[in-house]
Amino acid sequence: MPPDASQPNVHRQVVDQLGRLIVGGSLAPGDALPSEELLAGQLVVSRSALREAMKALGAKGLIESRQKTGARVRERRFWHQLDADVLGWRFATMPTQAFIAELVEMREIIEPAAAAAAAKKRDRDQLAAIAAAYQAMAAAGDRDAWAKADAEFHSAVLNAANNELMSSLFNVIATALHGFFLLSARASDDFKYSLPHHFNVYDAIRKRSAPQARMAMQKMVDDSRRHLQHTGGVA
């Protein structure tokens, strides 16, 4: 019996373990991976499970395999940076100042425009979803619950913009943003400090005021940047 036959999630585990090593820098671009036989032994998995994991990592742009030289870690410019796993590994293994700054910059580009679009195009159910997420934030008893509700609030705003491309992009970065919101909450003595900003966004969308919604969301993102700068969480 192969060593991993009793582990239904072995493929996922191997992908996650190797992905973290690569994205976290333990395996650097240009580094050669051990031989298939040696690596399978180190990870205590079958060679077939390892091959499947290597294919998945190759599809994410993290490694390349050649017949004579074996598998190597690719340069970062080839990584699929918006892949949900790659984003998750980056945040889990190296929430560096530069990465957090990139997330804030992405939010600055996307979210104010999304809030303005939501104010123009939201329907009653979408507004109710934003309100429900806001109420969940207000009722959150700990930082984990707050971060979950915070991510739901921003997802609801993006959904209310009624732009499928915009919503799809948010879904791609949702894992990293949830981590960002949790980091922000943990960096504050009062993790609900930004609740008034969220209300202002909700209220502007409720009133169908696109300029006000854009401004309120921009102020929220700016405040988030300043807060993390003050606490040492972002450059």
Side-chain angles (χ1 to χ4, degrees):
M1 178 181 292
D4 51 62
S6 62
Q7 302 178 38
N9 295 321
V10 65
H11 172 262
R12 178 66 238 176
Q13 292 169 1
V14 175
V15 171
D16 189 63
Q17 187 171 352
L18 288 175
R20 284 171 179 262
L21 289 173
I22 293 170
V23 174
S26 296
L27 292 171
D31 282 356
L33 273 65
S35 68
E36 184 180 279
E37 182 178 3
L38 181 59
L39 191 55
Q42 290 175 345
L43 298 175
V44 196
V45 296
S46 69
R47 293 173 73 171
S48 61
L50 178 62
R51 290 191 198 106
E52 290 303 310
M54 298 290 274
K55 288 180 182 177
L57 293 170
K60 297 176 187 296
L62 298 183
I63 64 171
E64 60 178 350
S65 299
R66 296 182 179 177
Q67 195 166 22
K68 294 184 178 180
T69 59
R72 289 184 178 274
V73 179
R74 302 189 76 185
E75 296 293 327
R76 294 172 64 90
R77 61 193 175 94
F78 294 113
W79 296 2
H80 298 178
Q81 298 286 359
L82 290 181
D83 178 272
D85 285 333
V86 174
L87 278 169
W89 293 327
R90 283 193 68 181
F91 201 91
T93 60
M94 47 177 293
T96 62
Q97 293 181 344
F99 179 49
I100 300 300
E102 287 179 5
L103 277 177
V104 173
E105 187 175 39
M106 179 176 286
R107 291 186 64 199
E108 287 177 331
I109 294 169
I110 297 172
E111 292 198 84
K120 295 177 184 177
K121 298 190 288 183
R122 59 86 176 165
D123 60 29
R124 183 182 303 175
D125 291 340
Q126 290 167 337
L127 181 64
I130 298 171
Y134 172 80
Q135 291 299 332
M137 294 178 71
D142 56 51
R143 286 168 171 78
D144 288 335
W146 166 273
K148 181 176 182 294
D150 198 354
E152 289 172 352
F153 180 92
H154 290 271
S155 178
V157 171
L158 267 290
N159 183 57
N162 287 298
N163 183 311
E164 291 182 354
L165 292 176
M166 198 178 292
S167 296
S168 295
L169 179 58
F170 184 88
N171 289 335
V172 167
I173 65 174
T175 299
L177 281 179
H178 179 269
F180 174 88
F181 295 140
L182 186 57
L183 178 66
S184 181
R186 287 174 175 169
S188 176
D189 292 333
D190 176 15
F191 62 86
K192 294 185 181 182
Y193 80 95
S194 66
L195 193 61
H197 289 299
H198 289 79
F199 176 80
N200 290 340
V201 171
Y202 159 73
D203 196 45
I205 292 173
R206 180 184 65 83
K207 295 176 179 176
R208 295 192 181 276
S209 173
Q212 187 178 343
R214 181 188 295 273
M215 183 179 300
M217 182 64 82
Q218 184 64 57
K219 285 183 177 179
M220 184 194 301
V221 176
D222 289 345
D223 179 73
S224 179
R225 179 196 290 277
R226 286 192 299 269
H227 177 69
L228 285 174
Q229 285 176 338
H230 178 70
T231 57
V234 61

